[in-house]
């Protein structure tokens, strides 16, 4: 009995320690005020003072930083621009990833493990190094431009690095496996006899794809889209390495509040809002998963 | 934890090492001759863990958060001043710094602005913020009389428009770029009031569409490889780019100029965090660096001037004889220093900087 309770409690303890407690800390800081101290915000919770001190602490908290966020159009513009970049990247990743997943699922059975391996292989190299190598590929003196000039396709090097295009390339490249894997797993389970039936009933191959394959892989597509969209929204590394001065993303704004302004309270408020924005797709994702499980079960 | 420590200690004994003592140093990237690090370990038997950063903001956040685990850090003067006020550093125990006599009073006088009495820090290196150009490409675009020694090169939209296709990087350091913009506009670079910020914003906004990137370390390689033509950067970094290009023999020629309208002079100071795990070893490291020959080796390697008078006899002619590194009396007149931004102005500054960088 004890063991069972423990097993059930374990994930909850995990969630509590690694999600709820950190969130509570961030929320607490977002209600504090900036100060020139270590750490750089006020008030500090002093538990030795007993209940009176805790009460005193609570009364000093306020929503000033959240009000501040509405006073400057930078913040909502950054949220909006992040949403746009995340949505567009997800769409591109889907368009690129679906055919790959489809080809993998259609490949001969003995090839599939190898193909799957090839998709996962890049994860063996550090994410940072992979993004960094794109700088070498995309720079004006880089591999891509050298190649294009070499074959005579262009005469002047293309400026790709440090532009929005490079950010999209980086995001699509990095998150592609997260799109391919769930779609592949949905397509692989697909019963071939359904396609045969569709063709028997007069569907062309293309119509059969649109009427049978695509709807049946919907679960994989949705899962893939969320797996790409959610982390992209808060992405910081890719835009800061590949992007130029034009790229406005909330991850960068957060960095600036935290590092340049040393304003932990406002940075925390930005993070809390980002979390609230993310909760919507996350809840939708959970629902979708649940529905699928029910449909399968 | 204790068992782990005794386990490690046991391993160290087995390996035949004298002590498991270590010192953790956090310094700027590309800022030391790495042979010095090995020399330190060999001389003192202290294990040296050396990490690097490329912006004062990153270091400051670690200092303000506390518990960074570092024993020696190297903030720039203006940042140091604020961090001292926040209580981030401990006073140096000068009885442990036998090489204190090597320090250069000319520099110590100036750093006392940030650290009164130099109680918390000693100077590591100092330099100027100026303009690095790919001389060949800039001459090709703007002609042989291109104003490479003037801020007009980077702040006059007419010049920047032409240079944009070739690539221009600015430092991602508002506390250095805004004084430069003010100097270009003929104003006191240390002004922090609203009017001054508005003027600086006007200057920067006019050229921002032509700036490819605001970044504080990429320009070294980008200049050296010929990826970009112009960078506002730190003197020694640009001189390092010059040497990397020369070594690579890729036909790229880089030159550094402290702008004629005035150039910012800054000081990177070695300090010991208040909660340093091993302040004893931190002092040993400081004293090691303050040794005349060691300091000279570092300067000879990174092309920055240092605050160590005794080291000057060991500097190579390339360094001590180059007025871009050790300015002569006249050039020194042309250098200015700035003070830190107070919190309220800091927010206005960062907001303006975000606007300059992103257009929003």
């Amino acid at each position: 009995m004890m063991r069972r309770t423990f097993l059930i409690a374990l994930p909850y303890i995990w969630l509590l320690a690694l999600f709820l407690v950190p969130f509570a800390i961030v929320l607490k800081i977002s209600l504090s005020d900036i100060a020139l101290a270590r750490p750089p915000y006020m008030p500090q919770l002093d538990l030795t003072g007993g209940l009176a001190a805790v009460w005193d602490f609570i009364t000093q908290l306020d929503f000033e930083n959240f009000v501040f966020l509405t006073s400057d159009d930078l913040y909502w513009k950054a949220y909006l621009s992040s949403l746009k970049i995340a949505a567009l990247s997800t769409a591109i990743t889907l368009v690129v990833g679906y055919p790959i997943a489809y080809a993998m699922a259609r490949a001969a059975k003995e090839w599939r493990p190898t193909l799957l391996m090839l998709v996962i292989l890049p994860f063996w190299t550090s994410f940072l190094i992979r993004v960094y190598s794109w700088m070498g590929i995309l720079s004006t003196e880089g591999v891509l431009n050298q190649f294009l000039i070499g074959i005579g396709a262009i005469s002047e090097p293309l400026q790709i690095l440090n532009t929005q295009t490079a950010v999209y390339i980086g995001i699509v490249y990095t998150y592609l496996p997260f799109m391919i894997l769930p779609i592949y797993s949905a397509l692989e389970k697909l019963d071939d006899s359904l396609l045969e039936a569709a063709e028997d009933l007069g569907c062309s191959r293309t119509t059969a794809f649109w009427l049978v394959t695509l709807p049946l892989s919907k679960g994989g597509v949705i899962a893939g889209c969320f797996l790409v969209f959610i982390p992209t929204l808060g992405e910081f590394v890719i835009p800061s390495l590949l992007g130029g001065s034009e790229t406005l993303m909330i991850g960068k704004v957060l960095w600036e509040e935290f590092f340049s302004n040393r304003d932990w309270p406002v940075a925390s408020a930005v993070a809390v809002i980002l979390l609230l924005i993310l909760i919507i797709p996350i809840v939708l994702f959970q629902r979708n998963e649940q529905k699928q499980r029910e449909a399968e079960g | 934890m204790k068992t782990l420590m005794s386990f490690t200690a046991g391993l160290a004994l087995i390996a035949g090492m004298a002590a498991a003592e270590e010192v953790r140093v956090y310094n700027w990237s590309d800022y030391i001759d790495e042979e010095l690090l090995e020399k330190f370990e060999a001389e003192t038997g202290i294990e040296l863990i050396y990490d690097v950063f490329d912006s004062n903001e990153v270091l400051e956040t670690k200092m303000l958060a506390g518990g960074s685990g570092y024993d020696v850090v190297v903030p720039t003067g203006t940042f140091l001043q604020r961090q001292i006020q926040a209580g981030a550093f401990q006073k140096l125990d000068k009885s442990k710094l036998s090489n204190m006599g090597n320090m250069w009073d000319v520099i110590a006088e100036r750093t006392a602005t940030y650290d009164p009495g130099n109680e918390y820090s000693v100077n590591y290196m100092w330099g100027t913020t100026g303009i690095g150009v790919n001389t060949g490409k800039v001459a090709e675009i703007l002609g042989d009389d291109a104003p490479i020694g003037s801020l007009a090169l980077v702040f006059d939209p007419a010049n920047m428009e032409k240079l944009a296709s070739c690539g221009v990087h600015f430092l991602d350091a508002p506390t250095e770029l805004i004084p430069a913009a003010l100097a270009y506009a003929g104003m006191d670079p240390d002004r922090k009031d609203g009017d001054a910020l508005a003027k600086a914003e006007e200057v920067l906004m006019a050229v921002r569409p032509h700036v490819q990137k605001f970044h504080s370390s990429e320009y070294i390689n980008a200049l050296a490889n010929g990826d970009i033509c112009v960078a506002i950067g730190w003197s020694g970094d640009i001189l390092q780019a010059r040497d990397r290009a020369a070594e690579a023999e890729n036909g790229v020629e880089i030159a550094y100029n402290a702008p004629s309208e005035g150039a910012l002079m800054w000081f990177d100071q070695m300090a010991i965090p208040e909660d340093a795990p091993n302040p004893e070893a931190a002092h040993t490291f400081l004293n090691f660096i303050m040794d005349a020959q060691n300091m000279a080796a570092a300067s000879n390697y990174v092309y920055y001037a240092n605050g160590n008078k005794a080291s000057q006899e060991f500097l190579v002619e390339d360094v001590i004889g180059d007025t871009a590194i050790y300015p002569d009396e006249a050039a020194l007149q042309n250098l200015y220093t700035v003070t830190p931004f107070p919190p309220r102005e800091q927010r206005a500054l960062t907001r303006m900087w975000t606007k300059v960088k992103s257009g929003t």
Side-chain angles (χ1 to χ4, degrees):
Chain A
M1 191 59 206
M2 266 296 286
R3 224 177 111 190
R4 222 182 117 189
T5 333
F6 178 70
L7 274 180
I8 296 172
L10 202 60
Y12 286 99
I13 296 170
W14 180 276
L15 270 179
L16 188 76
L18 294 175
F19 180 78
L20 270 180
V21 172
F23 178 72
I25 295 172
V26 170
L27 188 67
K28 184 201 88 173
I29 298 176
S30 75
L31 302 174
S32 314
D33 291 313
I34 184 172
L36 185 57
R38 255 187 346 146
Y41 57 86
M42 291 284 281
Q44 302 289 338
L45 182 56
D46 179 20
L47 284 176
T48 54
L51 266 181
V54 174
W55 179 246
D56 187 43
F57 165 77
I58 291 171
T59 51
Q60 285 185 57
L61 299 177
D62 56 49
F63 288 93
E64 202 184 347
N65 299 312
F66 290 91
V67 177
F68 173 76
L69 291 190
T70 61
S71 68
D72 191 332
D73 57 3
L74 168 74
Y75 301 99
W76 67 261
K77 275 187 181 159
Y79 282 120
L80 224 66
S81 152
S82 291
L83 281 169
K84 196 191 114 202
I85 291 174
L88 196 56
S89 310
T90 308
I92 301 172
T93 316
L94 177 62
V95 170
V96 177
Y98 199 96
I100 299 177
Y102 187 76
M104 282 167 65
R106 296 282 112 188
K109 253 215 160 74
E110 64 267 28
W111 276 103
R112 287 185 207 166
T114 317
L115 293 171
L116 203 58
M117 198 62 196
L118 285 175
V119 173
I120 300 170
L121 206 61
F123 286 112
W124 292 10
T125 314
S126 153
F127 159 68
L128 210 57
I129 290 174
R130 283 183 285 133
V131 177
Y132 229 91
S133 18
W134 273 106
M135 292 167 68
I137 298 172
L138 299 176
S139 75
T140 42
E141 303 286 321
V143 185
L144 181 69
N145 274 312
Q146 297 286 358
F147 172 73
L148 289 176
I149 292 174
I151 62 165
I154 50 171
S155 54
E156 282 290 305
L158 297 172
Q159 179 61 50
I160 308 173
L161 186 66
N162 300 334
T163 65
Q164 206 86 310
T165 317
V167 176
Y168 283 113
I169 292 175
I171 292 175
V172 170
Y173 163 77
T174 306
Y175 289 102
L176 195 60
F178 297 101
M179 184 63 87
I180 294 177
L181 294 176
I183 298 178
Y184 168 75
S185 103
L187 286 173
E188 207 211 5
K189 278 186 282 183
L190 198 76
D191 192 346
D192 278 344
S193 53
L194 290 173
L195 286 175
E196 282 166 26
E199 282 179 36
D200 284 348
L201 292 170
C203 272
S204 71
R205 288 197 135 195
T206 341
T207 346
F209 172 82
W210 289 112
L211 289 180
V212 180
T213 314
L214 196 62
L216 283 174
S217 61
K218 201 180 83 187
V221 170
I222 294 175
C225 286
F226 282 121
L227 285 178
V228 174
F229 182 83
I230 294 169
T232 309
L233 194 58
E235 186 57 57
F236 169 70
V237 173
I238 298 172
S240 63
L241 287 181
L242 301 178
S245 46
E246 308 278 330
T247 318
L248 180 68
M249 284 189 84
I250 202 67
K252 268 179 142 183
V253 171
L254 225 164
W255 195 94
E256 228 119 74
E257 286 299 340
F258 197 72
F259 288 93
S260 305
N261 280 343
R262 293 175 301 282
D263 196 334
W264 294 18
V266 167
S268 303
V270 171
V272 168
I273 303 279
L274 179 63
L275 195 82
L276 290 180
I277 295 177
L278 276 174
I279 276 179
I280 303 165
I282 290 172
V283 167
L284 286 174
F285 177 63
Q286 293 285 9
R287 275 230 190 116
N288 173 58
E289 289 278 282
Q290 207 170 353
K291 249 199 256 165
Q292 232 178 326
R293 244 175 280 136
E294 277 162 15
E296 280 167 17
Chain B
M1 196 58 211
K2 253 195 180 140
T3 28
L4 184 70
M5 271 164 67
S6 51
F7 180 68
T8 331
L11 274 185
L13 276 181
I14 293 164
M17 278 154 63
E21 202 185 353
E22 56 179 38
V23 61
R24 292 171 185 265
V25 177
Y26 198 39
N27 197 356
W28 291 80
S29 54
D30 299 299
Y31 214 28
I32 202 162
D33 177 358
E34 292 191 0
E35 276 174 23
L36 276 178
L37 308 180
E38 283 160 31
K39 189 178 168 198
F40 173 79
E41 289 192 324
E43 264 182 27
T44 62
I46 299 171
E47 195 189 333
L48 174 63
I49 295 152
Y50 190 83
D51 291 339
V52 297
F53 57 90
D54 82 339
S55 89
N56 266 310
E57 285 79 8
V58 171
L59 170 63
E60 180 157 86
T61 303
K62 278 192 200 284
M63 288 302 104
L64 294 180
S68 66
Y70 291 111
D71 297 300
V72 176
V73 296
V74 191
T76 304
T78 45
F79 286 80
L80 172 89
Q81 182 171 2
R82 189 165 45 219
Q83 288 155 28
I84 290 174
Q85 285 163 12
F89 297 118
Q90 52 179 280
K91 284 190 180 164
L92 299 177
D93 182 349
K94 293 194 177 158
S95 67
K96 289 176 185 155
L97 301 173
S98 56
N99 289 328
M100 205 67 202
N102 290 345
M103 300 315 285
W104 190 8
D105 52 348
V106 174
I107 297 302
E109 261 166 43
R110 299 199 182 213
T111 60
T113 322
Y114 308 109
D115 174 10
N118 289 299
E119 285 191 319
Y120 293 88
S121 67
V122 286
N123 181 252
Y124 177 60
M125 305 243 184
W126 55 274
T128 54
T129 302
I131 304 168
V133 292
N134 181 329
T135 45
K137 281 196 181 169
V138 170
E140 202 177 290
I141 293 171
L142 292 178
D144 287 333
D145 55 351
I148 59 169
S150 160
L151 285 170
L153 185 77
V154 288
F155 288 141
D156 182 348
N159 289 330
M160 283 293 281
E161 208 170 308
K162 292 181 196 143
L163 291 169
S165 61
C166 189
V168 181
H169 279 202
F170 278 15
L171 283 175
D172 187 4
T175 47
E176 309 206 12
L177 267 282
I178 282 151
L182 290 176
Y184 174 67
M187 293 163 76
D188 174 7
D190 200 22
R191 273 179 67 175
K192 295 173 169 57
D193 55 291
D195 292 344
L197 278 185
K199 184 67 204 170
E201 178 176 338
E202 193 188 311
V203 171
L204 290 163
M205 284 307 275
V207 294
R208 69 160 286 279
H210 312 301
V211 178
Q212 192 188 94
K213 192 160 193 173
F214 292 86
H215 199 280
S216 301
S217 55
E218 263 175 33
Y219 66 92
I220 305 179
N221 276 326
L223 268 180
N225 296 339
D227 280 338
I228 59 170
C229 284
V230 176
I232 299 191
W234 292 309
S235 47
D237 284 8
I238 289 164
L239 296 172
Q240 282 176 52
R242 178 190 71 186
D243 280 31
R244 281 187 202 176
E247 270 165 34
E249 294 181 6
N250 56 2
V252 173
E253 254 184 57
I254 306 295
Y256 174 78
N257 282 296
S260 54
E261 293 87 345
L264 175 70
M265 184 184 194
W266 45 258
F267 307 88
D268 286 341
Q269 300 287 104
M270 294 188 287
I272 304 177
E274 203 269 320
D275 54 4
N278 194 349
E280 189 65 37
H283 281 89
T284 311
F285 182 80
L286 255 54
N287 207 40
F288 172 83
I289 292 293
M290 287 156 71
D291 173 79
Q293 296 202 29
N294 292 341
M295 195 65 238
S299 277
N300 286 337
Y301 191 83
V302 301
Y303 290 95
Y304 279 107
N306 62 56
N308 194 310
K309 180 86 178 157
S311 78
Q312 291 180 2
E313 61 172 301
F314 302 108
L315 292 175
V316 293
E317 187 51 32
D318 247 12
V319 172
I320 189 82
D322 190 338
T323 50
I325 304 173
Y326 278 92
D328 50 25
E329 210 39 58
L332 209 55
Q333 290 301 316
N334 193 35
L335 302 180
Y336 58 83
T337 57
V338 291
T339 53
F341 273 76
R344 189 185 307 251
E345 283 78 5
Q346 176 74 40
R347 171 159 282 289
L349 167 87
T350 311
R351 180 65 188 88
M352 188 260 263
W353 191 241
T354 307
K355 190 171 174 189
V356 167
K357 283 200 294 180
S358 67
T360 305

